[in-house]
Structure formats: structure tokens, C-alpha cells
Amino acid sequence: MAGAGATIKQVLDAAEQAATAGDVARAVALYRQVLTKAPKHSKAKKALARLEKQGGTVGRAMTQADANVLVQVLNSGDFANAQRVARDMSAAFPNEPFVYNILGYASGMVGDQKAAIEAFKWAIKLNPNFVEAMSNYGSYLVQIERPNDAVPVLQKAIAKKPDYAEAHHNLGVAYFAMGQSDAALQHYDLALKYAPNYANALNSRGSLKTSRHDRVGAEADFRAALAIAPKDAGALANLAGVFAADGKSAEAVELLEQALVIDSKNTETLLQLAIIYNESGQSTQAIGVFERVLAIEPAHAQALRMMLDLVPLGDRGPLISQMETLFQAEQTAQIDKVHLGFALGHHFEKTGDYGKSYACLETANRLYRQDMPPLPETDDKKFARITKAFETDAFAALRDAADPTEVPVFILGMMRSGTSLVEQIIATHSDVFGAGELNAVTEMGKTLYDKGAKATAADGQGFTTAYLAELTRNAKGAARVVDKMPGNFFNVGLIKTLFPNAKIINTVRDPRDNCFSIYKNFFDTYAHQYAYDQVELARFANSYKQMMNRWDELFPDQIYHVSYEALVADQEGESRKLLDYLGLEWQDSVLEFHKTKRAVRTASVNQVRQKIYRSSVKSWQNYAPYLQDLYEGLDKKLWADAFVD
């Protein structure tokens, strides 16, 4: 059938075949389609004139009944059939942009990318003011990971119809995909200004707020979306994500089960449910849900990676065989090879096959790193910018806004340095609440960092009020509340300026073990780009150590440094020191930290549910032949006090 994706020759051939078969109406429609694309096409003009002389003007205009048939087929959800019907109608009514708009949508839904793009373009060419087609086309470009191309299309739609809510929403989605969250938020807000009951826009805005760690705002948007569309499975899952981040696992599970009643085969929702079960220490339930994912999609690499760690070593045979086959297959998607490589690397480490383990890890790291987009600011520039700000005393005015509270406890350091272990120990104490990894200091501090010396006491007051509200909103009056965000080592200067009585615990680990532990783990974010390259890892580790040394000079005796190796060697002795530093009385329960029933949302989720073990100390030595770039990049003098021989 000659549709939007057909060439002029193909349409011309189809027209000639129709004329030969005596289907004059169809032949006329097809010749008109050729002339719409190529108005001066002499062969088509002559053929059309000949048919019209023969009475071929029987072609009729499209009616509302025709349009209703097409819309009904589309709304049935049978997009393959909708594409077929739209193609037929595009042949019968070649000058109807409405038909091509639906053809574009249906083609996109069945994965026919070329036909979708050509149909949308043709709809817009036939009617340059067809803002709905522009909005749909822009949305589709975002879906196929071309947000940069989507933006001008959507901007054009809005220029023609400034109050078109859907185009604003789709433009917000495009900007969000490009990492421009401020622009995205602006257009989500405009979409809701023009259509206050636009559930999709509320859902999208809530997702943006979630990415900014504004869980209060996100929850409000998701609840508003569900008030409008109670059976929106996506909004239910998104709200569940907010609850899970707040440690409300039972509430999150309930919402996800509701979403699965609506859409039982949604693998993303199932994966989310499995992760929450795992974070809550319910490994049996987690495995069961991972198996549901794999029953729907047997090659789901992320599910395979996450489930493998929960399966006993002796029961992994069939699973490992499947994963190796997928890992080696040329047709396996690159991101899937990343998930599989990290999982297999961990597995072969446990079996003692370190060469095979490293080969898998190296492939996973290389594949993941090579396609990462550049960061808005390099790590080197970030270290330099923040260090300079406090060395020049740029934030002197903020001291007038300092809050004397002793509630906040910041656990920070390199990732994989033992921050989760320290938090789990401390949070087991009855007077402590573990708030988990909050990005609040970084997010809320952006304005202060941007203003620099122009930041006022009022700015500082706004920060302390907002941060304490976020930190303590689920703490139920706990005397100490832990913010375990490793990356807060960047923010020590800001923390000590605005919360001079806050406790700061820096976890330190042999950088060889620490960096290799980072290298062999998958982090679902592009923020830690240094993690996937040995040279970059060493440089980042050196910069971290230099920064912590500088904080010690600027804030002497105000940071407690705990050695990971000392903690695992003498759990009770080091735990007593930690509680003493926090001004808390000793409780024997902290020695049973692994039994604490609280959600853990880090890469260490499975480790902190075990008793302390020492096998991770000097584990880098098993891979020494493969870690020369890392070892040579570490500043031996700088790290002299942390090396464990």
C-alpha cells in the first residue's frame, strides 16, 4: 500500500497498477498524491488528466465518518491495524493532514520509525498550522532519543498556539531529556496554567521534582495527578518511588501492587517492586518478583544483574550460562552488556576466577563510560571552584545565619568507603534516625554557590530552614538525624558555616580497595563518570583526599575520621568511639546493626544486612596485575596514612 513512507516511484507504480485494474478512483488518488509531493511531475499530470477525461473524478472528499473510523481503530490499541487503515486512507485521501498525523502516531507505536517521521512531516507540510501534528512529532522525537531535534518543532507549535498545553508539556519533556530541568519546569508550569487538570503534566512535573530530591513537591504532584486519573499506573508507581525514598516500604509496595493490577506486565513497575523488597531485606519476595520480570522478558539484563546477587552461589549455574551467552552475543544492546558485565564480574570474583572477573568488569566499565554525555562541570573544576570559595572566605556573611542545632549528622566520604556501614551502626541506636542519602545540601546550596560573596544572611536562613525541614520530616523527634550522602564531602565548608554544631563523620578506606570497589559496581547515574576509568578514579580520589585535608585545616578538630579497616577489625571499640563523638550513650544493640529493619537504598544494600566481615580488606590484591593504571595514579604521599600493608 502506497503510504507516507513510499517513494514517488512506488506511488506512481501503484497508480498505474490501479488504473490497469480499472480502479479509477484509487488511481486518481495516487496520482494526486504524486503531484502533492512533486507538482510538476509530467507523467502523473498527463495520467491524471487522461483519467479525469474518462470520468475519473469520482474520488470523494474525506468525511467525518471516515475520520471516526480511523480514530476508533487507533483508540482500540491495535496500532498495527491502525497503521494499515491510516495507510489505506492516505492513499484515498492524499491531501488530508489529519490522516498523516494518525499514521505517524500509529507507525511510531509499532516501531516503524521511518514511516512515523515521514508521516508527521507530511502532515505538517500539508498544513503548516497543524500544531497537534507538531506536538505529536516533537513528542515522538523525544521517544526516539532525539530531544535536540524535538525542541524547535515544539517551539514552533507553541509560537503558533501559545496556550497549547500539550505542546508545552512535550517541550518540557524534551528539555528534561536534555538535562535542562529549569526550562522543563517552566513549560510544565505553563502546561498546567493552560490545563490545570492535565494529569500527564502533573506526573511529569512530579518526576522532575523527584530528580531534584524535592519529595514533598513530587508527592503533591503525583497525588494531584491521581486525583484526576486514579488508574494511572505510572503515577501510582511514581508516588511509590517517593514513599520508598522516605523509607515507607509498605506504602510503596501497596501502590505498586495497585499499579500492577492495572498493568500486570509492566516490567519497570515489577523491577521497582523487586528493588523495594530487596532494600527492605525481603530477599525471597524480591527474587519472586525478579522472576516475574524474567517470565515476561527473559533477557532483561538489569533484572538478571540484580537478582544474581540474591541467588546462592551453588544455584547459579543456569543463570550464569544464560547471562554469559547474552554478554557475548553481538546483538545484545550495549547497556545490557554493561549490566551483565558487572554481574558476571561479581560472580567470578566469588568463584576465585579473577582474570575472568576483571575481563567482564573492564568491558562493562568501558562500554558504559564511552557513551556518557559530558558533565556540565568537570569534577576537577568543581573541586577547584568550591575549595577557592572557602579559602577566600566568600561566604562570611552566611555566618550570621548559622543554626546552632546539633541534630544533623553528616556521614560522607568516597563512595564504597563504608558510609553505609557506619550509618547502619549509628541508626540502630534508639536516639538516631537514618534519613538515608539526601541530595538536599547540594540542591539547596546551588543558589548559595552561585551567589558566592553576594550570598546574604537571609539566603543562609532560607537554606537552614528548608534543609532542616527536609532532614527531619520523617524523624519523629530523634535527637540525631543522619544524612548519609557520600558526596557531601564537597559541602563540608557550607555545612560547617551554617551548622557549626553538626557532627561530620568522614569514612576513610585504603584507596586501592576503595577505588576498585567503585570500579566493580554499577551506579545508575551519569554523575559519577570518574567511576568507570582507572585513571579518572585515581585523580578523583586524590582530589577528594586533598579537599578533606584542606577542610581539616579550615575547620580543625571538627571532622571525625573513621577508618573502615579499623571498624571491621574492632567493631565494638570503633562503634563506642562513634557514639561518644555523637554524645550518645552506649547501646549493645548497635553491635547487631545487621538485624535492623530499615530500608537501605545504596549499592551496599546486601552487605549491611550481614555481620561485619573482613574479606574486603586488601581484596584489590587479587586484581593487582590489572590495576596498574589505578595504583600508579594514586598519590602515595597523600594517601600514606590510609594505605594498609
Side-chain angles (χ1 to χ4, degrees), residues 382-566:
K382 185 176 181 180
F383 277 111
R385 171 177 58 82
I386 294 177
T387 301
K388 181 180 179 181
F390 287 93
E391 287 183 340
T392 58
D393 204 21
F395 295 109
L398 296 183
R399 295 194 188 103
D400 293 334
D403 191 307
T405 180
E406 297 182 356
V407 170
V409 176
F410 296 90
I411 299 176
L412 46 84
M414 289 275 285
M415 292 192 302
R416 308 294 298 167
S417 63
T419 55
S420 294
L421 173 60
V422 172
E423 181 199 28
Q424 191 77 345
I425 290 172
I426 294 172
T428 304
H429 195 284
S430 61
D431 292 333
V432 178
F433 175 76
E437 293 188 355
L438 304 180
N439 205 41
V441 175
T442 296
E443 287 294 332
M444 296 177 184
K446 283 180 179 177
T447 300
L448 301 179
Y449 283 124
D450 289 344
K451 288 188 174 182
K454 295 181 181 179
T456 65
D459 294 323
Q461 180 65 52
F463 173 91
T464 57
T465 300
Y467 175 75
L468 288 173
E470 172 66 13
L471 178 72
T472 61
R473 66 192 181 92
N474 294 310
K476 298 179 180 178
R480 299 283 186 274
V481 183
V482 178
D483 179 343
K484 188 211 79 78
M485 173 54 74
N488 271 334
F489 70 79
F490 279 110
N491 300 316
V492 168
L494 193 61
I495 291 168
K496 293 307 297 182
T497 298
L498 289 169
F499 297 114
N501 296 323
K503 300 295 186 180
I504 296 180
I505 300 170
N506 175 47
T507 58
V508 183
R509 185 179 181 186
D510 184 318
R512 296 164 295 188
D513 276 331
N514 199 160
C515 288
F516 183 57
S517 183
I518 292 172
Y519 186 77
K520 66 184 182 181
N521 274 279
F522 175 85
F523 303 98
D524 191 15
T525 171
Y526 286 156
H528 304 296
Q529 299 194 0
Y530 63 89
Y532 307 100
D533 179 272
Q534 290 189 37
V535 174
E536 292 181 62
L537 251 174
R539 186 166 69 244
F540 187 92
N542 292 337
S543 296
Y544 150 79
K545 193 68 164 67
Q546 289 169 344
M547 177 170 265
M548 290 310 304
N549 289 349
R550 188 61 182 138
W551 291 139
D552 277 333
E553 293 170 357
L554 293 172
F555 306 99
D557 301 321
Q558 295 185 54
I559 302 170
Y560 184 88
H561 302 279
V562 59
S563 162
Y564 172 81
E565 290 80 11

Side-chain angles (χ1 to χ4, degrees), residues 508-515 542 545 563 565 617-618 620 630-645:
V508 183
R509 185 179 181 186
D510 184 318
R512 296 164 295 188
D513 276 331
N514 199 160
C515 288
N542 292 337
K545 193 68 164 67
S563 162
E565 290 80 11
V617 176
K618 299 184 184 180
W620 71 272
L630 170 63
Y631 183 71
E632 291 173 5
L634 291 169
D635 186 324
K636 311 303 185 298
K637 183 177 180 181
L638 183 67
W639 282 102
D641 60 344
F643 278 118
V644 177
D645 297 321

Side-chain angles (χ1 to χ4, degrees), residues 206-478:
S207 296
L208 184 151
K209 290 177 180 178
T210 297
S211 74
R212 291 183 165 186
H213 303 275
D214 176 10
R215 296 203 286 267
V216 173
E219 180 177 344
D221 277 346
F222 294 142
R223 287 189 181 279
L226 288 167
I228 298 164
K231 293 186 178 181
D232 186 331
L236 286 166
N238 286 336
L239 182 56
V242 173
F243 285 159
D246 276 343
K248 300 174 182 177
S249 301
E251 294 92 330
V253 167
E254 182 179 351
L255 286 171
L256 290 172
E257 293 289 6
Q258 290 178 35
L260 288 167
V261 169
I262 299 165
D263 186 1
S264 63
K265 294 189 177 182
N266 188 310
T267 55
E268 291 305 306
T269 304
L270 285 166
L271 194 67
Q272 186 179 350
L273 179 60
I275 291 170
I276 291 173
Y277 275 135
N278 189 32
E279 291 171 347
S280 305
Q282 301 177 70
S283 58
T284 301
Q285 292 89 332
I287 290 174
V289 181
F290 281 131
E291 288 175 343
R292 288 170 64 185
V293 174
L294 296 172
I296 298 167
E297 191 177 334
H300 197 299
Q302 187 178 0
L304 288 166
R305 173 178 67 82
M306 301 184 79
M307 187 176 78
L308 185 66
D309 200 37
L310 303 177
V311 176
L313 199 60
D315 297 337
R316 294 182 177 180
L319 204 56
I320 293 298
S321 178
Q322 177 191 3
M323 293 171 73
E324 284 194 282
T325 299
L326 288 170
F327 186 58
Q328 294 162 7
E330 289 186 12
Q331 66 269 26
T332 299
Q334 185 163 305
I335 187 60
D336 289 344
K337 288 193 174 188
V338 170
H339 285 293
L340 295 165
F342 279 113
L344 291 169
H346 275 270
H347 171 75
F348 291 122
E349 179 180 24
K350 288 186 176 182
T351 64
D353 192 341
Y354 302 115
K356 196 169 185 179
S357 170
Y358 182 77
C360 294
L361 293 172
E362 191 280 330
T363 298
N365 278 281
R366 175 171 44 79
L367 291 176
Y368 200 38
R369 182 67 182 89
Q370 69 186 17
D371 282 342
M372 287 185 172
L375 292 170
E377 179 183 41
T378 66
D379 291 319
D380 290 341
K381 288 183 178 179
K382 185 176 181 180
F383 277 111
R385 171 177 58 82
I386 294 177
T387 301
K388 181 180 179 181
F390 287 93
E391 287 183 340
T392 58
D393 204 21
F395 295 109
L398 296 183
R399 295 194 188 103
D400 293 334
D403 191 307
T405 180
E406 297 182 356
V407 170
V409 176
F410 296 90
I411 299 176
L412 46 84
M414 289 275 285
M415 292 192 302
R416 308 294 298 167
S417 63
T419 55
S420 294
L421 173 60
V422 172
E423 181 199 28
Q424 191 77 345
I425 290 172
I426 294 172
T428 304
H429 195 284
S430 61
D431 292 333
V432 178
F433 175 76
E437 293 188 355
L438 304 180
N439 205 41
V441 175
T442 296
E443 287 294 332
M444 296 177 184
K446 283 180 179 177
T447 300
L448 301 179
Y449 283 124
D450 289 344
K451 288 188 174 182
K454 295 181 181 179
T456 65
D459 294 323
Q461 180 65 52
F463 173 91
T464 57
T465 300
Y467 175 75
L468 288 173
E470 172 66 13
L471 178 72
T472 61
R473 66 192 181 92
N474 294 310
K476 298 179 180 178

Side-chain angles (χ1 to χ4, degrees), residues 71 74-75 97-102 105 120 123-124 127-140 153-154 156-158 160-161 164 166-167 170:
V71 171
L74 183 72
N75 289 341
F98 169 81
V99 174
Y100 288 100
N101 181 38
I102 291 185
Y105 186 86
F120 282 131
I124 296 166
N127 180 1
N129 295 314
F130 196 175
V131 293
E132 181 183 349
M134 294 175 193
S135 182
N136 288 340
Y137 181 34
S139 177
Y140 182 66
V153 175
L154 293 162
K156 187 175 181 180
I158 289 169
K160 291 182 177 296
K161 188 173 173 54
Y164 190 30
E166 185 177 352
N170 291 339

